[in-house]
Amino acid sequence: MRDPVTIATGITYDRESIEKWLFTCKNSFCPVTKQTLSPSDHLLLTPNHNLRRLIQSWCTLHASHGVERIPTPKPPVDESQIIKLIKDAKGSPHTQHKCLLRLKSIASSSDSNKKHLETSSIVVDFLAAIIMTQKEDNVSTSTDSWSSVIEAVSILHQLALSNAALKALMNLKDKFVDSLLHILRRGHAEARAFVIALLKNIYSIAEPRQLIGTKLELFVEIAQVLRDQISYAASKAALKLLIELNPWWKNRIKAVEAGMVMVLVEMLLETSERRSCELALNALDQLCGCAEGRAELLKHGGGLAIVSKKILRVSNGASDRAVRILGSISKHSANARVLEDMLEVGVVAKLCLVLQVDCGWKTKERAKMILGLHSTAWKNSSCVPAHLLCTYPS
């Protein structure tokens, strides 16, 4: 042990180990007694000074054997320190930036300190206020002020905010989200990655009325994050945010207007990573639920081909989503030209293959429905190999 602490059950542990048990592994009971710990007990880690002094004395006695004396640990941060730190930050932008760096250091120093910041509404309100102080694009913002905004975003991203804290941010209405959109437009890659992850978390707990009122600008920025491929984590967060917004028809129209269908198709053409493909196909399936989305998919020269190609190559979930997309096209947008394209790029052959292999029964039923819907145009086509055509549903 380097920093012995006693929890509510009376058992002493090393601080780093018990913090990992409680905060990282999300356990809510004592490892030894198995007693349940309340949320307030999680933060009640009492330093065992007597044991720590005994350990230090032992280290000193065995120094000749190469044992180093453990340093006296710093006490965890308390509410009064946080209040003073935030109060001191209300001076110049330079002072504010120093305060943010100190908050970041506190959050990184230990899991208990990080948890303390996460549950402090004062800290979250302070960080949100800094983010919302930035100016519009046509007004200059000082270097120190902009640096403070980026640090505030970084800290909010670092903290695992509760649903209540996320709701409080969402209830700041458009000003907070508009400020985040401004950072997405102007910020560097890392800041944009932090913002898109933060937006994903915020919108995951938003109410339907808040989701429906999403601005077109947000879809434009999501599309740009996906185009720029900032990082795998940023792309995944952007796709999850898009999927969270897409169930509403108005949002699907906005996403299509932002060029999202083309972005998703290009993404599918460039990646074979399983989770990215699954998320992209999920989002594309949602967008193909409206006529505008289907029209955009058909407008892309490789749209039908890449959707078909992902069937049976990624996962059962991805195959099901791809077949759903093809089902939307075949039911609602299938003219003579589209049906011919589906034959030429191998869509029909792939659907016949789905009927022959072991995949989800729902996927098979959807494939059978699509083939049956246009059997007149496809059933006797020379574009489909004979070994696949033999399974064409009658």
Side-chain angles (χ1 to χ4, degrees):
M1 290 187 185
R2 300 182 65 82
D3 185 7
V5 292
T6 304
I7 65 173
T9 60
I11 306 297
T12 296
Y13 300 96
D14 182 65
R15 181 184 292 277
E16 184 179 349
S17 300
I18 194 62
E19 285 181 351
K20 183 178 180 181
W21 172 265
L22 294 173
F23 304 132
T24 305
C25 299
K26 308 293 184 184
N27 292 304
S28 59
F29 59 90
C30 174
V32 172
T33 67
K34 309 303 180 188
Q35 286 178 259
T36 301
L37 300 169
S38 67
S40 58
D41 290 338
H42 279 54
L43 294 175
L44 191 62
L45 303 178
T46 306
N48 191 328
H49 296 298
N50 288 334
L51 180 56
R52 191 248 309 153
R53 291 190 188 102
L54 285 171
I55 294 171
Q56 287 176 324
S57 298
W58 183 90
C59 291
T60 302
L61 287 171
H62 292 80
S64 59
H65 299 288
V67 178
E68 293 185 7
R69 183 180 183 276
I70 61 169
T72 301
K74 293 181 180 179
V77 69
D78 58 35
E79 192 72 7
S80 61
Q81 290 175 288
I82 294 173
I83 292 171
K84 183 180 184 304
L85 190 61
I86 291 175
K87 186 178 179 181
D88 293 343
K90 294 179 180 178
S92 66
H94 179 68
T95 307
Q96 187 182 77
H97 188 65
K98 286 178 66 178
C99 166
L100 289 166
L101 292 177
R102 175 64 183 141
L103 281 175
K104 195 172 186 178
S105 173
I106 291 171
S108 304
S109 61
S110 72
D111 286 340
S112 60
N113 281 346
K114 182 182 175 185
K115 190 71 176 177
H116 197 95
L117 295 184
E118 289 167 357
T119 56
S120 173
S121 60
I122 299 172
V123 172
V124 176
D125 291 345
F126 171 66
L127 296 173
I130 291 175
I131 292 170
M132 290 189 292
T133 57
Q134 63 185 296
K135 306 296 189 295
E136 296 299 321
D137 283 340
N138 57 349
V139 181
S140 61
T141 304
S142 71
T143 302
D144 281 340
S145 296
W146 181 248
S147 297
S148 294
V149 169
I150 299 303
E151 284 299 338
V153 168
S154 172
I155 296 168
L156 277 180
H157 173 264
Q158 186 179 356
L159 302 179
L161 298 179
S162 65
N163 285 352
L166 292 171
K167 283 183 179 178
L169 293 175
M170 192 67 188
N171 290 334
L172 292 171
K173 300 190 183 296
D174 291 342
K175 190 171 183 182
F176 184 70
V177 173
D178 286 348
S179 298
L180 293 180
L181 289 176
H182 181 68
I183 299 169
L184 279 177
R185 286 191 292 270
R186 181 182 167 186
H188 55 71
E190 187 179 39
R192 293 172 69 204
F194 291 159
V195 168
I196 205 71
L198 182 57
L199 283 168
K200 185 261 294 182
N201 292 336
I202 290 173
Y203 276 95
S204 69
I205 53 84
E207 298 176 5
R209 61 179 176 81
Q210 293 169 320
L211 292 169
I212 294 170
T214 304
K215 293 182 177 181
L216 173 63
E217 289 79 6
L218 177 55
F219 292 97
V220 171
E221 295 307 322
I222 293 172
Q224 194 58 51
V225 168
L226 292 174
R227 282 192 197 96
D228 293 344
Q229 298 181 19
I230 298 170
S231 68
Y232 172 73
S235 295
K236 190 166 75 168
L239 288 169
K240 287 183 176 180
L241 173 57
L242 180 62
I243 290 166
E244 198 71 49
L245 297 170
N246 274 348
W248 281 266
W249 181 81
K250 285 185 178 180
N251 285 348
R252 293 179 186 179
I253 300 300
K254 293 171 189 173
V256 174
E257 288 179 16
M260 200 69 72
V261 173
M262 296 296 184
V263 171
L264 292 172
V265 171
E266 290 298 325
M267 188 174 183
L268 288 169
L269 286 167
E270 293 173 6
T271 184
S272 58
E273 197 275 324
R274 183 184 66 83
R275 189 57 181 151
S276 297
C277 289
E278 288 175 342
L279 291 170
L281 287 167
N282 192 342
L284 192 57
D285 176 33
Q286 291 174 320
L287 296 182
C288 285
C290 66
E292 293 83 355
R294 294 189 296 273
E296 285 294 299
L297 177 64
L298 294 173
K299 193 183 294 183
H300 193 293
L304 288 174
I306 191 59
V307 170
S308 174
K309 184 179 180 180
K310 295 300 178 182
I311 298 173
L312 305 177
R313 289 194 176 196
V314 181
S315 67
N316 284 343
S319 295
D320 187 60
R321 286 293 177 181
V323 172
R324 281 172 61 101
I325 294 167
L326 298 175
S328 296
I329 297 294
S330 66
K331 279 195 290 185
H332 304 295
S333 304
N335 54 38
R337 179 59 189 164
V338 170
L339 294 179
E340 185 179 341
D341 286 345
M342 292 177 84
L343 266 174
E344 290 178 356
V345 300
V347 170
V348 180
K350 182 60 75 75
L351 292 173
C352 289
L353 181 61
V354 167
L355 300 182
Q356 294 184 0
V357 300
D358 183 22
C359 61
W361 69 270
K362 283 188 178 180
T363 307
K364 285 178 179 286
E365 288 300 311
R366 288 194 182 98
K368 190 181 294 185
M369 179 274 295
I370 297 169
L371 292 169
L373 201 60
H374 302 291
S375 59
T376 305
W378 292 340
K379 192 169 185 180
N380 298 314
S381 172
S382 59
C383 293
V384 183
H387 71 283
L388 294 176
L389 201 59
C390 67
T391 59
Y392 202 104
S394 56

